[in-house]
Amino acid sequence: HEAAKEAKKVKDGKVKMLKNALKAKAAMEAEAKKATAEDHLAVQKLEVVELLPIQNMIKRLEHKLEQFRAVYVDPESESVVEERKNEFENTSERGNTRVIEAEVKAVDGNGEIHAEQPVSKDDFENIDGSDDDEFAAVREQNRSENSLTQQTVDSCLGTATATFGEKVQAVFTDLKKMVLSKTEDGPESGENTPEFEIQKAKECISVLEEEKSKKGREVQEVLGKIAGLKRWIEMDYGSAPGLRALKEKCVRETVGQYEFEHCPFNRVLQYENGRQIAELGSFSSLKFSDDPKIRMVLEYDKGNTCWRGPKRQVSVELECGEEPHIIDVEEPSRCIYKMRFSTPVVCTHQMLEAITESFNHDEL
């Protein structure tokens, strides 16, 4: 009779534990569902608010770099500028009024100005490329700076870059002004020379390439965050979706002479006298078990290396329990650990029904 009373007490305790565990499981599943929804929103925010603007900026940088390289860095571009510059300087020295054909067309769209006609300041004022206002604004900004090294991403992105022909024409316009200034107003500042424009462009290329590399690193960082979130969203939790709620909820308890800390889906640590002495492993996978008592196993590997041994690893077997709790820790082989961990999320109504049926059968 006493044995029957004791058995009933044990079974009543199990039934009560399972009922409480199933309530906790339902709450954890709701929490996990909310966390998953928040992860989805976080992914969308990262993709739209952070990733997309960075990717768009990279496209702008690439487009502007392509323009700068095509206009300024092509060897033909520099050689043509140097050749025309020499021709202008020779013209100035000899007092010759010869005008290069490409520039004549720039003065008069019909190309009617002839080489023997004198060149005046009025002619130069009529030469106005489509981007001259933008070029002038940038040049004015540069005149106020003491060093080309002060080029910024914004100033470089704001620099107008025309096609090769249009830009060379704009450089020729500056050259003509420079020739007149030599004969009438004295030497122009070095900032008005084509060399200055080309050097500024080269420095802009360097600035923009550095910014592109920086943005590339930012993209990888954001993609890493997105991948981390998607890992939790896409993970297969089997029949225990509430497992997601265990993430970032560490449990630290004393087992024997050591303390162990289990941070589900993160890592397992070992302590002695309050001091961490080893990391038993980092989360690697979730496996399902055919054992009805264990059901699921969290695998952790790549822990601290044992002295003259392998890297530590631990298998955490999940068992039904009213609350998260480290039941036991064993080391069946050197540096290979096994932890039994209870949690409500693996409890099932079938377990409750099995205990209840068993109790009813014994009563009969």
Side-chain angles (χ1 to χ4, degrees), residues 20 23 30 47 49 51 82 112 138 163 171 221 266 280 354:
N20 290 336
K23 287 181 181 179
E47 290 176 339
V49 177
L51 184 60
E82 184 64 26
E112 295 298 328
V138 174
T163 63
V171 172
E221 183 179 343
N266 188 358
L280 304 188

Side-chain angles (χ1 to χ4, degrees), residues 72-83 164 198 202:
Y72 294 98
V73 181
D74 190 304
E76 180 185 357
S77 179
E78 294 193 39
S79 64
V80 169
V81 169
E82 184 64 26
E83 178 184 344
F164 173 77
I198 292 173
K202 286 183 176 180

